[in-house]
Amino acid sequence: MKNRLEKIRKQHGINQEELAKALEVSRQTIGSLENGRYNPSILLAFKIARFFDMTIEEIFIYVEDEKV
Amino acid sequence: MKKIFSAYILTIVGVGLLTGGLYFIIAIENPQGLLGALPYICVGLGCAVFGHGLGEIILQNAMKRAPDAAKQLEIDMKDERNLAIANQAKAKAYDMMVFVFGALMFSFALMGIDLLVLLLFVFTYLLVIVYSTYYRFKFNKEM
């Protein structure tokens, strides 16, 4: 799964630490999400989407032929 | 509040076990059988319980003094990525344990150790496997 988290975060002018604090996750989780190394749970995906006032699909992009 | 109270209780129990164990080491002359080992078990157990309790008290006090650090610690402990990493590491260790203990039991059997000890090992090994299977079924029903 790909995502536009880094781009959206930068557009909102907040750093990883501030986003992590708002979402109540560690800063490393935000870093891993942005690098695409970690896929969030559906709850965290909703939290991120709500935080930016967007839909999940606008942030996370499902790639069809991906190995899960 | 409840956590710090139980930490104080643990610390007191630990000190009690430790001093009790030390007293029995000095007081009992020529201990026979289990009595010979019991004071040392008390000392060991007392040290562990005392250390755990005192550690918890220090942690709780530090968290009271630095609420920001306490919040960060709570976030790190509940962080879903950290939990996923911990669970994956545990699963890997369990997979390895199944093979390592299997090999260890096999070597013990070849070495011809006492049958009772070997059976204890086998039953403990099977208990862990059964425990794992039980939770597989339980989680299968729940999820």
Side-chain angles (χ1 to χ4, degrees), chain B residues 43-58:
Chain B
V43 170
L45 207 64
C47 282
V49 172
F50 173 72
H52 181 76
L54 198 66
E56 191 63 38
I57 291 169
I58 292 167

Side-chain angles (χ1 to χ4, degrees), chain B residues 53-131:
Chain B
L54 198 66
E56 191 63 38
I57 291 169
I58 292 167
L59 181 72
Q60 293 293 330
N61 283 332
M63 282 165 83
K64 246 187 230 171
R65 263 183 268 127
D68 282 350
K71 179 77 183 163
Q72 190 56 48
L73 187 72
E74 196 191 336
I75 286 172
D76 285 342
M77 275 166 68
K78 287 181 181 170
D79 180 57
E80 66 169 50
R81 180 174 157 272
N82 285 346
L83 290 177
I85 290 169
N87 286 337
Q88 216 167 325
K90 263 191 267 184
K92 286 269 176 204
Y94 173 78
D95 286 345
M96 195 183 81
M97 193 201 73
V98 169
F99 285 108
V100 169
F101 272 78
L104 189 69
M105 279 187 307
F106 187 66
S107 349
F108 277 164
L110 287 177
M111 282 157 69
I113 64 157
D114 190 29
L115 187 66
L116 187 71
V117 178
L118 188 67
L119 283 177
L120 265 173
F121 255 106
V122 172
F123 281 122
T124 313
Y125 182 76
L126 286 177
L127 184 76
V128 174
I129 305 285
V130 169
Y131 193 72

